Amino acid sequence: MTLEMELEMEMEIQKEISMEMEMEMEKTMEMEKEIEITMEVEMEMEMEMEMTMEMLMELEKEMEMEMKMEMEKEMEMKLEMTMEMEIEMKIEMTMEMEKKWK
């Protein structure tokens, strides 16, 4: 085998190695892109989670408010009933007094 042929073969091998390295680089770049996309998706999910948490907290506050309102309504009703009972008692007393006067 002549020197020229050997050189040619060596150059071929170098070309192949070069091509393989290029392919590896492309694969690596693709993987980096995928990792980047995955990270973006993770960030988006995290943001969505935060939003959901905030919404849950809002809901909880609303529910607490509703509970307070319910309790206030109940208190009002009790008060009304007490007042009604007082009025009824006064009416009864008045009627009894009227009977006595007659």
Side-chain angles (χ1 to χ4, degrees), residues 85-98:
M85 279 174 67
E86 274 180 22
I87 291 175
E88 270 178 35
M89 277 180 66
K90 280 184 183 171
I91 289 176
E92 269 180 42
M93 278 178 65
T94 308
M95 282 175 69
E96 272 182 39
M97 289 291 284
E98 275 181 2

Side-chain angles (χ1 to χ4, degrees), residues 49-61:
M49 279 276 289
E50 274 176 31
M51 292 267 294
T52 304
M53 285 288 285
E54 277 174 25
M55 278 174 65
L56 273 173
M57 279 175 69
E58 284 289 312
L59 266 171
E60 210 170 287
K61 278 184 188 172

Side-chain angles (χ1 to χ4, degrees), residues 5-24:
M5 279 173 73
E6 269 185 47
L7 267 173
E8 260 181 53
M9 272 180 70
E10 192 58 41
M11 279 180 65
E12 274 301 310
I13 291 172
Q14 285 298 322
K15 266 187 193 174
E16 275 180 33
I17 289 175
S18 232
M19 277 176 67
E20 275 180 29
M21 280 177 70
E22 214 171 283
M23 278 176 66
E24 280 301 310

Side-chain angles (χ1 to χ4, degrees), residues 76-90:
E76 271 177 35
M77 277 180 62
K78 281 183 185 172
L79 198 85
E80 267 179 40
M81 277 184 63
T82 305
M83 283 174 65
E84 273 179 25
M85 279 174 67
E86 274 180 22
I87 291 175
E88 270 178 35
M89 277 180 66
K90 280 184 183 171

